[in-house]
Amino acid sequence: MSFLELKGVEKQFGEVKTIKGVDLSIARGQFTVFVGPSGCGKSTLLRLIAGLETLTAGSIHLDGRDITRLPSAQRDLAMVFQSYALYPHMSVADNMSFALRLAKADPAVIKKKVDRAAEILNLGQYLHRLPRELSGGQRQRVAIGRAIVREPKVFLFDEPLSNLDAALRGQTRVEIAKLHRELGATTIYVTHDQVEAMTLADKVVVLRDGAIEQEGSPLALYDRPANRFVAQFIGTPQMNVVDRGELPAGAGGVVGAAFVGIRPEDLHLKPAGQGQIGAKVELVEALGAETLIYLNTPRGAQIVLRQNERTSLNAGDDVGVDVALDHLHWFDQNGKLIAAAH
Amino acid sequence: MDTAIPGGARLAMWIRAIAAWLVALLLFFPILFMLVTSFKTELQAIAVPSIWIFTPTLDNFAHVQERSDYLLYARNSLITSVVSTIVGLVIAAPAAYSMAFFPSKRTKDILMWMLSTKMMPAVGALVPVYVIAQTLHLLDTTFALIVVFMLSNLPLMVWMLYSHFKDIPPEILEAARMDGASLLTEFRHVILPLAMGGIASTGLLCLVLAWNEAFWSLNLTAANAGTLAALIASYSSPEGLFWSKLSAASVLAIAPIVVFGWFSQKQLVQGLTFGAVK
């Protein structure tokens, strides 16, 4: 059953329509990630749900209640901001308890909840510090703690990791996943990083130009992307999408297909002169566990191949390439998926 | 490491320091001269060349208190500047809040327009303001001065508060809203504590401006609601110039605000840099 339901949600800023009719339903306890390139409207959509922006059209229902016109304060949602948005003049404990104090909760209850959140987030020894005395990662945890103590119906995260350095980002990502597993809270998480989307989400919602391109489980999106945009947005390095003429004559095909998509791991290196197609090495990226080899085909297409083995190839070398023909994605002239072999 | 300052730079530093002292002395000299004169007799005061070594007397101060009720004028100055500043802040804060956090297409224009009203010479509004005060029987009342002081400082207050509020990241207010804060709670628990420095410096500056205001107090008040500015002016009268008494009155008039300004100069400077230095 749908817990949070968006119907025909639209948002217009002046002349520009940034959200163009979004229908979405999110189940209780689900971890949903909004992902898309910058400017796709994912943050705006989150702010509409949060009540920080007003809808131009459409409705939002939460747990059977129409919250479309309710102020943020009455929606029973908690948000973790990209900049953390901690109250600079309040201690960590006061930051976390602010909402409860406003709601005039019993001080004993407040203390219990704050202590519990601090314990979960490992913030116990920092409760009396001010935000400016904390590191970026700690501030981030305080922001999450502030959301936890409220026990909201839905947690909203607006690119919470983008201000952290790479190592901390990976670590915090794992913590957020763990936290979601422990609390089982319904969560909406906005990111432009598809790796975050893939690793955290029960459901990924890919947005472009204010509209949903596709929604589904991470692997469903990976295996059956609805169109070229999703195909190339999900997965790094991105899917090779080439003219179908690039494939060898015997590769078969699908009626109406104009382009063929091949994941980098579905290409296999062969010695020069062998394999289904020939190519020239343009660049080799040795990442240790895996190697990315960027190739140019004789017809001018650029493709990337991923393998777990290391290679002694250099730029300019001739190679052959085998294509896993049973893993192809076929797209029509407009980039829509016609068939996927998975 | 060689930390010695090169000869040329050292010379430039000295020249700058001497120039700064000269300018400071030049600016301070009239005040010093006034202070010294206030302790002279009238004869010593008009002596040419001026006398710098003399036996100081407090007669002038006694005379000022005798001739006019200093405390009445001081009270008027205090009431008009403090009340006009507080009322002004209460009006300016919500205006600055809405312009800082909910700007519209015309916000910048409104701000410019408000500032442009400060460009108009006050005397341009004298007749209408005088007539209004007269019609409402508000001439020579502190109420009229409070209203006029408040209105003339309002553009500056809105501007200063606006720039201080602008320094508060809007996400913090959004976070407060998500946490269940109403507009008033948000203002009290988040904006007020965060902008306290800015609000204080705005208030201090407007307090000083209102205290020093002379044009309106001279034109709208007489014996009842006159401020210290009016007290000073009353000594440059047709009765003849009494330099030492005029100086004593001036010293009494500016003393409170100078002491006040001395203790709050840090906040004042901070306010005038419009929150740019943090």
Short mmCIF file of all heavy atoms in Angstrom, two decimals, chain A residues 238-301:
data_model
loop_
_atom_site.label_atom_id
_atom_site.label_comp_id
_atom_site.label_asym_id
_atom_site.label_seq_id
_atom_site.Cartn_x
_atom_site.Cartn_y
_atom_site.Cartn_z
N GLN A 238 29.74 4.44 -18.01
CA GLN A 238 28.39 4.34 -18.54
C GLN A 238 28.30 3.33 -19.69
O GLN A 238 29.30 2.94 -20.30
CB GLN A 238 27.87 5.71 -18.97
CG GLN A 238 28.70 6.39 -20.02
CD GLN A 238 28.06 7.70 -20.43
OE1 GLN A 238 28.01 8.02 -21.60
NE2 GLN A 238 27.54 8.47 -19.49
N MET A 239 27.06 2.91 -19.94
CA MET A 239 26.81 1.92 -21.00
C MET A 239 27.25 2.49 -22.35
O MET A 239 27.07 3.66 -22.63
CB MET A 239 25.31 1.60 -21.04
CG MET A 239 24.93 0.57 -22.10
SD MET A 239 23.14 0.46 -22.30
CE MET A 239 22.71 -0.65 -20.99
N ASN A 240 27.87 1.62 -23.17
CA ASN A 240 28.19 2.02 -24.54
C ASN A 240 26.91 1.94 -25.36
O ASN A 240 26.25 0.90 -25.39
CB ASN A 240 29.19 1.04 -25.16
CG ASN A 240 30.48 0.99 -24.37
OD1 ASN A 240 31.19 1.98 -24.27
ND2 ASN A 240 30.76 -0.17 -23.75
N VAL A 241 26.52 3.06 -25.97
CA VAL A 241 25.38 3.01 -26.88
C VAL A 241 25.88 3.43 -28.26
O VAL A 241 26.37 4.54 -28.43
CB VAL A 241 24.24 3.94 -26.42
CG1 VAL A 241 23.11 3.91 -27.43
CG2 VAL A 241 23.73 3.51 -25.06
N VAL A 242 25.82 2.48 -29.18
CA VAL A 242 26.39 2.74 -30.51
C VAL A 242 25.36 2.44 -31.58
O VAL A 242 24.33 1.78 -31.34
CB VAL A 242 27.65 1.87 -30.75
CG1 VAL A 242 28.76 2.28 -29.79
CG2 VAL A 242 27.33 0.39 -30.59
N ASP A 243 25.65 2.92 -32.77
CA ASP A 243 24.84 2.61 -33.94
C ASP A 243 24.82 1.10 -34.14
O ASP A 243 25.84 0.44 -33.95
CB ASP A 243 25.49 3.29 -35.15
CG ASP A 243 24.52 3.45 -36.27
OD1 ASP A 243 24.24 2.43 -36.95
OD2 ASP A 243 24.04 4.59 -36.45
N ARG A 244 23.67 0.54 -34.50
CA ARG A 244 23.61 -0.92 -34.58
C ARG A 244 24.53 -1.47 -35.65
O ARG A 244 24.92 -2.65 -35.62
CB ARG A 244 22.17 -1.40 -34.79
CG ARG A 244 21.60 -1.04 -36.14
CD ARG A 244 20.29 -1.74 -36.37
NE ARG A 244 20.46 -3.18 -36.39
CZ ARG A 244 19.48 -4.03 -36.57
NH1 ARG A 244 18.25 -3.58 -36.72
NH2 ARG A 244 19.69 -5.33 -36.60
N GLY A 245 24.92 -0.62 -36.60
CA GLY A 245 25.85 -1.03 -37.66
C GLY A 245 27.23 -1.40 -37.14
O GLY A 245 28.03 -2.01 -37.85
N GLU A 246 27.51 -1.02 -35.91
CA GLU A 246 28.80 -1.34 -35.32
C GLU A 246 28.94 -2.84 -35.05
O GLU A 246 30.04 -3.35 -34.92
CB GLU A 246 28.98 -0.59 -33.99
CG GLU A 246 29.11 0.91 -34.12
CD GLU A 246 30.49 1.34 -34.59
OE1 GLU A 246 31.40 0.51 -34.61
OE2 GLU A 246 30.62 2.52 -34.94
N LEU A 247 27.79 -3.51 -34.88
CA LEU A 247 27.84 -4.93 -34.54
C LEU A 247 28.18 -5.76 -35.77
O LEU A 247 27.87 -5.37 -36.89
CB LEU A 247 26.50 -5.38 -33.99
CG LEU A 247 26.15 -4.91 -32.57
CD1 LEU A 247 24.84 -5.51 -32.14
CD2 LEU A 247 27.25 -5.31 -31.60
N PRO A 248 28.80 -6.91 -35.56
CA PRO A 248 29.07 -7.80 -36.70
C PRO A 248 27.77 -8.26 -37.34
O PRO A 248 26.72 -8.27 -36.68
CB PRO A 248 29.84 -8.96 -36.08
CG PRO A 248 29.51 -8.91 -34.62
CD PRO A 248 29.30 -7.47 -34.30
N ALA A 249 27.83 -8.68 -38.62
CA ALA A 249 26.64 -9.01 -39.39
C ALA A 249 25.81 -10.11 -38.72
O ALA A 249 24.59 -10.05 -38.71
CB ALA A 249 27.04 -9.42 -40.81
N GLY A 250 26.48 -11.06 -38.10
CA GLY A 250 25.75 -12.20 -37.55
C GLY A 250 25.16 -11.96 -36.18
O GLY A 250 24.69 -12.89 -35.53
N ALA A 251 25.18 -10.72 -35.70
CA ALA A 251 24.78 -10.45 -34.32
C ALA A 251 23.28 -10.44 -34.13
O ALA A 251 22.80 -10.28 -33.01
CB ALA A 251 25.37 -9.13 -33.87
N GLY A 252 22.55 -10.58 -35.20
CA GLY A 252 21.10 -10.55 -35.08
C GLY A 252 20.62 -9.13 -34.89
O GLY A 252 21.34 -8.17 -35.15
N GLY A 253 19.43 -8.98 -34.38
CA GLY A 253 18.90 -7.63 -34.21
C GLY A 253 17.44 -7.70 -33.87
O GLY A 253 16.85 -8.78 -33.77
N VAL A 254 16.87 -6.55 -33.67
CA VAL A 254 15.48 -6.44 -33.28
C VAL A 254 14.83 -5.45 -34.24
O VAL A 254 15.44 -4.44 -34.60
CB VAL A 254 15.36 -5.93 -31.83
CG1 VAL A 254 13.91 -5.72 -31.45
CG2 VAL A 254 16.03 -6.91 -30.88
N VAL A 255 13.63 -5.74 -34.65
CA VAL A 255 12.94 -4.87 -35.61
C VAL A 255 12.78 -3.47 -35.01
O VAL A 255 12.34 -3.32 -33.87
CB VAL A 255 11.55 -5.44 -35.97
CG1 VAL A 255 10.86 -4.54 -36.99
CG2 VAL A 255 11.71 -6.86 -36.48
N GLY A 256 13.17 -2.46 -35.79
CA GLY A 256 12.99 -1.07 -35.35
C GLY A 256 14.13 -0.54 -34.52
O GLY A 256 14.12 0.63 -34.16
N ALA A 257 15.11 -1.38 -34.21
CA ALA A 257 16.21 -0.92 -33.35
C ALA A 257 17.18 -0.08 -34.17
O ALA A 257 17.56 -0.45 -35.28
CB ALA A 257 16.92 -2.11 -32.73
N ALA A 258 17.57 1.06 -33.61
CA ALA A 258 18.53 1.94 -34.28
C ALA A 258 19.86 1.92 -33.55
O ALA A 258 20.90 2.09 -34.15
CB ALA A 258 17.99 3.36 -34.35
N PHE A 259 19.78 1.76 -32.23
CA PHE A 259 21.01 1.78 -31.43
C PHE A 259 21.08 0.52 -30.58
O PHE A 259 20.06 -0.05 -30.22
CB PHE A 259 21.03 2.99 -30.50
CG PHE A 259 20.92 4.29 -31.23
CD1 PHE A 259 19.71 4.95 -31.30
CD2 PHE A 259 22.03 4.86 -31.85
CE1 PHE A 259 19.60 6.16 -31.97
CE2 PHE A 259 21.92 6.06 -32.52
CZ PHE A 259 20.71 6.71 -32.59
N VAL A 260 22.31 0.16 -30.25
CA VAL A 260 22.49 -0.98 -29.38
C VAL A 260 23.33 -0.56 -28.18
O VAL A 260 24.28 0.21 -28.32
CB VAL A 260 23.11 -2.17 -30.15
CG1 VAL A 260 24.48 -1.81 -30.71
CG2 VAL A 260 23.22 -3.40 -29.25
N GLY A 261 22.90 -1.01 -27.01
CA GLY A 261 23.62 -0.67 -25.78
C GLY A 261 24.34 -1.88 -25.25
O GLY A 261 23.78 -2.96 -25.15
N ILE A 262 25.62 -1.67 -24.91
CA ILE A 262 26.43 -2.77 -24.38
C ILE A 262 27.12 -2.30 -23.12
O ILE A 262 27.82 -1.28 -23.13
CB ILE A 262 27.52 -3.20 -25.40
CG1 ILE A 262 26.95 -3.31 -26.81
CG2 ILE A 262 28.17 -4.51 -24.96
CD1 ILE A 262 28.01 -3.16 -27.89
N ARG A 263 26.89 -2.98 -21.99
CA ARG A 263 27.58 -2.63 -20.75
C ARG A 263 29.08 -2.92 -20.93
O ARG A 263 29.45 -3.89 -21.60
CB ARG A 263 27.05 -3.47 -19.58
CG ARG A 263 25.63 -3.13 -19.15
CD ARG A 263 25.61 -1.91 -18.26
NE ARG A 263 24.24 -1.53 -17.92
CZ ARG A 263 23.90 -0.30 -17.55
NH1 ARG A 263 24.82 0.65 -17.49
NH2 ARG A 263 22.66 -0.02 -17.24
N PRO A 264 29.95 -2.11 -20.32
CA PRO A 264 31.40 -2.29 -20.49
C PRO A 264 31.87 -3.69 -20.10
O PRO A 264 32.84 -4.19 -20.67
CB PRO A 264 32.00 -1.24 -19.55
CG PRO A 264 30.95 -0.18 -19.46
CD PRO A 264 29.64 -0.90 -19.53
N GLU A 265 31.15 -4.33 -19.14
CA GLU A 265 31.59 -5.67 -18.73
C GLU A 265 31.14 -6.75 -19.71
O GLU A 265 31.51 -7.91 -19.58
CB GLU A 265 31.11 -6.00 -17.31
CG GLU A 265 29.60 -6.02 -17.13
CD GLU A 265 29.04 -4.66 -16.76
OE1 GLU A 265 29.67 -3.64 -17.12
OE2 GLU A 265 27.97 -4.62 -16.13
N ASP A 266 30.30 -6.38 -20.68
CA ASP A 266 29.84 -7.35 -21.68
C ASP A 266 30.70 -7.33 -22.94
O ASP A 266 30.37 -7.96 -23.94
CB ASP A 266 28.37 -7.08 -22.05
CG ASP A 266 27.46 -7.31 -20.85
OD1 ASP A 266 27.80 -8.16 -20.01
OD2 ASP A 266 26.42 -6.63 -20.75
N LEU A 267 31.81 -6.59 -22.87
CA LEU A 267 32.79 -6.61 -23.96
C LEU A 267 34.01 -7.39 -23.48
O LEU A 267 34.40 -7.26 -22.31
CB LEU A 267 33.21 -5.19 -24.33
CG LEU A 267 32.14 -4.31 -24.98
CD1 LEU A 267 32.62 -2.86 -25.07
CD2 LEU A 267 31.79 -4.83 -26.37
N HIS A 268 34.58 -8.21 -24.35
CA HIS A 268 35.72 -9.01 -23.93
C HIS A 268 36.87 -8.84 -24.92
O HIS A 268 36.67 -8.90 -26.13
CB HIS A 268 35.32 -10.49 -23.81
CG HIS A 268 34.16 -10.68 -22.87
ND1 HIS A 268 34.29 -10.57 -21.52
CD2 HIS A 268 32.84 -10.92 -23.11
CE1 HIS A 268 33.11 -10.74 -20.95
NE2 HIS A 268 32.20 -10.95 -21.89
N LEU A 269 38.05 -8.66 -24.37
CA LEU A 269 39.24 -8.40 -25.18
C LEU A 269 39.75 -9.68 -25.85
O LEU A 269 39.75 -10.75 -25.26
CB LEU A 269 40.32 -7.84 -24.25
CG LEU A 269 41.22 -6.74 -24.80
CD1 LEU A 269 40.42 -5.61 -25.38
CD2 LEU A 269 42.12 -6.25 -23.66
N LYS A 270 40.15 -9.55 -27.11
CA LYS A 270 40.76 -10.66 -27.86
C LYS A 270 42.04 -10.12 -28.51
O LYS A 270 42.18 -8.91 -28.68
CB LYS A 270 39.80 -11.14 -28.97
CG LYS A 270 38.54 -11.78 -28.45
CD LYS A 270 38.81 -13.21 -28.01
CE LYS A 270 37.60 -13.74 -27.23
NZ LYS A 270 37.91 -14.95 -26.50
N PRO A 271 42.93 -11.02 -28.91
CA PRO A 271 44.11 -10.55 -29.64
C PRO A 271 43.69 -9.90 -30.96
O PRO A 271 42.61 -10.18 -31.48
CB PRO A 271 44.91 -11.83 -29.91
CG PRO A 271 44.39 -12.83 -28.93
CD PRO A 271 42.96 -12.47 -28.69
N ALA A 272 44.54 -9.02 -31.49
CA ALA A 272 44.24 -8.33 -32.75
C ALA A 272 43.93 -9.35 -33.84
O ALA A 272 44.56 -10.40 -33.90
CB ALA A 272 45.42 -7.45 -33.15
N GLY A 273 42.95 -9.05 -34.68
CA GLY A 273 42.59 -9.95 -35.77
C GLY A 273 41.55 -10.97 -35.37
O GLY A 273 40.89 -11.56 -36.22
N GLN A 274 41.39 -11.20 -34.07
CA GLN A 274 40.35 -12.12 -33.62
C GLN A 274 39.17 -11.31 -33.07
O GLN A 274 39.18 -10.09 -33.10
CB GLN A 274 40.90 -13.03 -32.53
CG GLN A 274 42.04 -13.93 -33.02
CD GLN A 274 42.56 -14.81 -31.91
OE1 GLN A 274 41.82 -15.23 -31.02
NE2 GLN A 274 43.85 -15.11 -31.98
N GLY A 275 38.17 -12.01 -32.57
CA GLY A 275 37.02 -11.30 -31.99
C GLY A 275 36.06 -10.84 -33.07
O GLY A 275 36.36 -10.88 -34.27
N GLN A 276 34.88 -10.36 -32.63
CA GLN A 276 33.83 -10.01 -33.59
C GLN A 276 34.10 -8.69 -34.26
O GLN A 276 33.72 -8.46 -35.40
CB GLN A 276 32.47 -9.98 -32.88
CG GLN A 276 32.03 -11.37 -32.46
CD GLN A 276 31.04 -11.31 -31.32
OE1 GLN A 276 31.19 -10.53 -30.40
NE2 GLN A 276 30.03 -12.17 -31.39
N ILE A 277 34.70 -7.75 -33.52
CA ILE A 277 35.03 -6.47 -34.14
C ILE A 277 36.47 -6.09 -33.79
O ILE A 277 37.00 -6.52 -32.77
CB ILE A 277 34.08 -5.33 -33.69
CG1 ILE A 277 33.88 -5.37 -32.17
CG2 ILE A 277 32.74 -5.40 -34.40
CD1 ILE A 277 32.99 -4.26 -31.66
N GLY A 278 37.08 -5.29 -34.65
CA GLY A 278 38.42 -4.80 -34.39
C GLY A 278 38.34 -3.41 -33.77
O GLY A 278 37.35 -2.71 -33.94
N ALA A 279 39.38 -3.04 -33.03
CA ALA A 279 39.38 -1.70 -32.43
C ALA A 279 40.81 -1.31 -32.09
O ALA A 279 41.71 -2.15 -32.09
CB ALA A 279 38.54 -1.68 -31.16
N LYS A 280 40.99 -0.01 -31.84
CA LYS A 280 42.29 0.52 -31.49
C LYS A 280 42.21 1.09 -30.07
O LYS A 280 41.24 1.78 -29.73
CB LYS A 280 42.67 1.62 -32.49
CG LYS A 280 44.16 1.94 -32.51
CD LYS A 280 44.46 3.05 -33.50
CE LYS A 280 44.84 2.59 -34.91
NZ LYS A 280 46.12 1.89 -35.01
N VAL A 281 43.21 0.79 -29.25
CA VAL A 281 43.20 1.27 -27.86
C VAL A 281 43.47 2.77 -27.83
O VAL A 281 44.40 3.26 -28.46
CB VAL A 281 44.27 0.54 -27.02
CG1 VAL A 281 44.33 1.12 -25.60
CG2 VAL A 281 44.00 -0.95 -26.99
N GLU A 282 42.62 3.52 -27.12
CA GLU A 282 42.85 4.96 -27.01
C GLU A 282 43.46 5.32 -25.65
O GLU A 282 44.27 6.21 -25.53
CB GLU A 282 41.52 5.69 -27.19
CG GLU A 282 41.74 7.15 -27.55
CD GLU A 282 40.50 8.00 -27.38
OE1 GLU A 282 39.44 7.45 -27.05
OE2 GLU A 282 40.63 9.22 -27.56
N LEU A 283 42.99 4.60 -24.61
CA LEU A 283 43.43 4.95 -23.25
C LEU A 283 43.21 3.73 -22.37
O LEU A 283 42.22 3.01 -22.53
CB LEU A 283 42.60 6.13 -22.75
CG LEU A 283 42.84 6.60 -21.31
CD1 LEU A 283 44.18 7.31 -21.20
CD2 LEU A 283 41.73 7.54 -20.85
N VAL A 284 44.13 3.51 -21.44
CA VAL A 284 43.96 2.43 -20.48
C VAL A 284 43.94 3.02 -19.08
O VAL A 284 44.83 3.80 -18.71
CB VAL A 284 45.11 1.40 -20.59
CG1 VAL A 284 44.98 0.33 -19.51
CG2 VAL A 284 45.13 0.75 -21.97
N GLU A 285 42.89 2.73 -18.30
CA GLU A 285 42.82 3.17 -16.91
C GLU A 285 42.94 1.94 -16.02
O GLU A 285 42.00 1.14 -15.95
CB GLU A 285 41.50 3.89 -16.62
CG GLU A 285 41.45 5.30 -17.16
CD GLU A 285 40.15 6.01 -16.81
OE1 GLU A 285 39.18 5.36 -16.37
OE2 GLU A 285 40.11 7.23 -16.98
N ALA A 286 44.09 1.79 -15.34
CA ALA A 286 44.28 0.64 -14.46
C ALA A 286 43.87 1.05 -13.05
O ALA A 286 44.51 1.89 -12.42
CB ALA A 286 45.74 0.21 -14.49
N LEU A 287 42.74 0.52 -12.56
CA LEU A 287 42.24 0.92 -11.24
C LEU A 287 42.63 -0.10 -10.18
O LEU A 287 42.19 0.00 -9.04
CB LEU A 287 40.71 1.07 -11.29
CG LEU A 287 40.20 2.08 -12.33
CD1 LEU A 287 38.69 2.07 -12.37
CD2 LEU A 287 40.72 3.47 -12.04
N GLY A 288 43.40 -1.11 -10.56
CA GLY A 288 43.79 -2.14 -9.61
C GLY A 288 42.91 -3.34 -9.73
O GLY A 288 43.23 -4.29 -10.43
N ALA A 289 41.74 -3.29 -9.08
CA ALA A 289 40.83 -4.43 -9.12
C ALA A 289 40.24 -4.61 -10.51
O ALA A 289 39.87 -5.69 -10.91
CB ALA A 289 39.73 -4.25 -8.09
N GLU A 290 40.12 -3.51 -11.22
CA GLU A 290 39.57 -3.62 -12.57
C GLU A 290 40.34 -2.68 -13.49
O GLU A 290 41.06 -1.79 -13.04
CB GLU A 290 38.08 -3.27 -12.57
CG GLU A 290 37.81 -1.87 -12.04
CD GLU A 290 36.35 -1.49 -12.11
OE1 GLU A 290 35.50 -2.38 -12.07
OE2 GLU A 290 36.07 -0.28 -12.22
N THR A 291 40.19 -2.95 -14.78
CA THR A 291 40.89 -2.14 -15.77
C THR A 291 39.87 -1.65 -16.78
O THR A 291 39.04 -2.43 -17.27
CB THR A 291 41.97 -2.99 -16.49
OG1 THR A 291 42.81 -3.56 -15.48
CG2 THR A 291 42.80 -2.13 -17.42
N LEU A 292 39.90 -0.36 -17.07
CA LEU A 292 39.01 0.20 -18.08
C LEU A 292 39.84 0.48 -19.32
O LEU A 292 40.88 1.12 -19.26
CB LEU A 292 38.38 1.50 -17.58
CG LEU A 292 37.62 1.42 -16.26
CD1 LEU A 292 37.06 2.78 -15.88
CD2 LEU A 292 36.50 0.39 -16.35
N ILE A 293 39.36 -0.03 -20.46
CA ILE A 293 40.09 0.17 -21.71
C ILE A 293 39.17 0.92 -22.67
O ILE A 293 38.08 0.44 -23.01
CB ILE A 293 40.53 -1.18 -22.31
CG1 ILE A 293 41.36 -1.94 -21.26
CG2 ILE A 293 41.33 -0.96 -23.58
CD1 ILE A 293 41.55 -3.40 -21.59
N TYR A 294 39.57 2.12 -23.05
CA TYR A 294 38.79 2.94 -23.98
C TYR A 294 39.26 2.65 -25.39
O TYR A 294 40.45 2.69 -25.69
CB TYR A 294 38.97 4.43 -23.65
CG TYR A 294 38.39 4.79 -22.30
CD1 TYR A 294 39.13 4.56 -21.14
CD2 TYR A 294 37.11 5.31 -22.18
CE1 TYR A 294 38.60 4.85 -19.89
CE2 TYR A 294 36.57 5.62 -20.94
CZ TYR A 294 37.33 5.38 -19.78
OH TYR A 294 36.81 5.66 -18.56
N LEU A 295 38.29 2.32 -26.27
CA LEU A 295 38.63 1.85 -27.62
C LEU A 295 37.93 2.69 -28.67
O LEU A 295 36.84 3.22 -28.44
CB LEU A 295 38.17 0.40 -27.78
CG LEU A 295 38.71 -0.62 -26.77
CD1 LEU A 295 37.87 -1.89 -26.82
CD2 LEU A 295 40.17 -0.93 -27.05
N ASN A 296 38.57 2.77 -29.84
CA ASN A 296 37.93 3.36 -31.02
C ASN A 296 37.68 2.26 -32.04
O ASN A 296 38.59 1.50 -32.36
CB ASN A 296 38.84 4.43 -31.65
CG ASN A 296 38.85 5.70 -30.83
OD1 ASN A 296 37.83 6.07 -30.24
ND2 ASN A 296 39.99 6.36 -30.78
N THR A 297 36.45 2.17 -32.54
CA THR A 297 36.16 1.17 -33.57
C THR A 297 36.52 1.74 -34.93
O THR A 297 36.66 2.96 -35.07
CB THR A 297 34.67 0.79 -33.57
OG1 THR A 297 33.93 1.93 -34.00
CG2 THR A 297 34.21 0.38 -32.17
N PRO A 298 36.68 0.87 -35.94
CA PRO A 298 37.04 1.37 -37.28
C PRO A 298 36.01 2.37 -37.80
O PRO A 298 36.34 3.27 -38.55
CB PRO A 298 37.06 0.10 -38.13
CG PRO A 298 37.21 -1.03 -37.17
CD PRO A 298 36.58 -0.59 -35.88
N ARG A 299 34.75 2.23 -37.40
CA ARG A 299 33.72 3.14 -37.90
C ARG A 299 33.63 4.44 -37.09
O ARG A 299 32.77 5.28 -37.32
CB ARG A 299 32.36 2.45 -37.90
CG ARG A 299 32.30 1.31 -38.91
CD ARG A 299 30.99 0.58 -38.82
NE ARG A 299 29.86 1.50 -38.67
CZ ARG A 299 28.68 1.33 -39.23
NH1 ARG A 299 28.48 0.28 -40.02
NH2 ARG A 299 27.71 2.17 -39.01
N GLY A 300 34.52 4.56 -36.12
CA GLY A 300 34.61 5.84 -35.42
C GLY A 300 33.90 5.90 -34.07
O GLY A 300 33.90 6.94 -33.43
N ALA A 301 33.25 4.82 -33.64
CA ALA A 301 32.57 4.85 -32.34
C ALA A 301 33.58 4.71 -31.22
O ALA A 301 34.61 4.04 -31.36
CB ALA A 301 31.54 3.73 -32.27
#
